[in-house]
Amino acid sequence: MGQQVRQRRRRPTLKDVSAQAGVSVKTVSRVVNGETNVTPALAERVRTAVESLGYAPDPLASRLRRGRGPIGAVAVVVEDAANPFSTVMHRAVTDAMAARGVVTLSASYDKDPGGERTAVLAFTSRRVDGVILMPTTADHPWLDELRETGTEVVLVDRPVAGLRADVVMSDHRAAARRATTHLLRHGHHRIGFLADAPDVYTTVERLAGFDEILTAAAVSGHDGLVRDELRGAGAAEQAVIDLLAGDDPPTALIAGQNLLAIGAFRALRRLNLHHRIALVSLDDIPLADLLDPGITVVAQEPERIGALAAQQLLGRIAGDHTPATPHLVPTQLIPRGSGEIPGPFLNAANTPEVSAVEQSQPHF
């Protein structure tokens, strides 16, 4: 009985369809592949058998039969698939590809350059047509070699130094400039910054935007308020506790990414300072509007980034050979309460007037 169950559940094959329709395997193959040199009556018998058996073509087997032809698949490789930004971006890619009948494969490498390379090469060895990659900070000479084999690559969230490739990312520097200006205008001069690894492109750009605004506002003495190398919410929580225990603590905080913002808010709640210390996150957080206070964010648009990356990759696969260019996606400040907590200099005359925060340029 068990063997019979296993047989009934196995994947139907062309031979199964052939037997049920009473036609040759070659005829079934022609109908399944959309060829027109089959009589309407035979084609209808094949389609009826396909529907009855629940047959679906195996794209890998089809590719092997054709030799080195495409299998209609792309890969998405990100740093952390559990991060809300990556999750939304990945979904946008999947939706865009599905609309074109393209399968999306995915992997994450947890900030490990070796894992990044292994994942990308594993997908390309299976002949995916292209890769959307959120790169690590490591050197990527192997990406140049990969592209020479004909595999198209589009980068998201950050570029690779020295690699002329399409990049779709947020305007990270402008996001930090906007957050810092917002806090200064609400009376804060002692602003702490919670950052990821300092060699990550997004961290570099966001810290640069933070420094630019403080310099323009002639606000000094903030170097000791930057904490970097923070790996996740737990590290950010402890960093905030340490900052606020100092002799001259910050009155406001900027979290350099969403997971760090979660840790920062936990620390403020733990210290009962969440209504006294301002907080702005440089990325949105699920349910951030339901907290007390709601977390003010400079929101990225991961859905738009994913859709643009998919569009760019499909264009490259189709033969677009125009020069590679970065695609900067603007960010949006969403005030929800935490970033509007007033600071000690709220009515001071030296509140900065920094214009054109959208005009920052990416530095590759």
Side-chain angles (χ1 to χ4, degrees):
M1 177 65 71
Q3 184 177 4
Q4 290 177 347
V5 171
R6 285 194 296 272
Q7 288 177 346
R8 283 199 300 268
R9 290 179 178 174
R10 70 178 175 82
R11 184 186 183 114
T13 65
L14 284 174
K15 288 184 178 179
D16 296 328
V17 178
S18 168
Q20 179 149 324
V23 299
S24 69
V25 171
K26 191 169 187 178
T27 298
V28 174
S29 178
R30 286 172 175 166
V31 174
V32 169
N33 289 310
E35 297 180 23
T36 58
N37 55 343
V38 180
T39 65
L42 287 182
E44 182 60 30
R45 282 163 55 185
V46 170
R47 284 192 287 268
T48 299
V50 165
E51 184 176 352
S52 173
L53 293 171
Y55 171 78
D58 181 343
L60 179 56
S62 176
R63 182 188 72 84
L64 292 174
R65 287 193 297 271
R66 294 194 308 267
R68 296 173 60 88
I71 66 171
V74 300
V76 179
V77 180
V78 298
E79 184 176 89
D80 179 7
N83 188 293
F85 174 89
S86 297
T87 301
V88 175
M89 187 273 295
H90 178 272
R91 177 57 186 269
V93 173
T94 301
D95 289 347
M97 293 299 174
R100 300 287 295 271
V102 178
V103 174
T104 304
L105 310 175
S106 63
S108 60
Y109 53 81
D110 195 26
K111 300 186 178 182
D112 173 26
E116 172 200 25
R117 181 175 181 177
T118 297
V120 171
L121 295 182
F123 287 134
T124 56
S125 70
R126 288 161 174 79
R127 306 291 183 182
V128 296
D129 296 302
V131 177
I132 292 175
L133 172 65
M134 181 185 294
T136 63
T137 60
D139 292 333
H140 289 74
W142 55 274
L143 267 183
D144 268 328
E145 298 170 6
L146 178 65
R147 294 168 73 205
E148 288 175 1
T149 68
T151 302
E152 300 293 345
V153 178
V154 172
L155 306 176
V156 291
D157 194 50
R158 60 195 74 153
V160 168
L163 182 70
R164 295 298 300 172
D166 295 304
V167 187
V168 184
M169 61 185 178
S170 301
D171 194 338
H172 300 294
R173 187 174 294 210
R177 287 164 61 94
R178 179 174 290 107
T180 309
T181 299
H182 185 75
L183 289 173
L184 286 170
R185 287 174 176 166
H186 281 81
H188 298 279
H189 287 189
R190 298 282 295 168
I191 304 173
F193 195 105
L194 309 174
D196 205 331
D199 57 348
V200 174
Y201 173 84
T202 53
T203 301
V204 172
E205 283 292 290
R206 290 167 180 174
L207 280 171
F210 174 67
D211 287 335
E212 286 173 4
I213 296 300
L214 293 182
T215 299
V219 174
S220 59
H222 60 277
D223 292 343
L225 299 181
V226 174
R227 294 290 186 273
D228 58 19
E229 291 283 8
L230 301 179
R231 306 286 183 174
E237 182 176 359
Q238 188 57 53
V240 170
I241 292 171
D242 294 342
L243 276 170
L244 297 178
D247 293 334
D248 192 6
T251 64
L253 300 166
I254 295 176
Q257 47 112 310
N258 50 15
L259 299 182
L260 303 185
I262 292 171
F265 192 80
R266 285 176 181 166
L268 295 177
R269 284 290 300 268
R270 180 174 164 184
L271 298 171
N272 198 29
L273 293 174
H274 51 297
H275 288 288
R276 294 175 54 192
I277 304 296
L279 172 65
V280 177
S281 171
L282 297 185
D283 201 0
D284 208 350
I285 306 166
L287 306 181
D289 57 326
L290 301 182
L291 299 173
D292 179 27
I295 298 180
T296 295
V297 302
V298 180
Q300 302 186 74
E301 293 191 63
E303 184 173 3
R304 184 178 174 191
I305 289 172
L308 284 174
Q311 177 183 336
Q312 194 67 23
L313 184 61
L314 288 169
R316 294 301 184 189
I317 293 171
D320 179 4
H321 300 300
T322 57
T325 55
H327 301 263
L328 285 184
V329 177
T331 55
Q332 177 186 6
L333 189 139
I334 304 175
R336 294 183 177 135
S338 71
E340 293 68 57
I341 295 172
F345 297 94
L346 181 59
N347 298 316
N350 62 341
T351 299
E353 288 298 331
V354 181
S355 62
V357 296
E358 295 280 5
Q359 301 303 316
S360 62
Q361 296 298 320
H363 292 254
F364 299 105

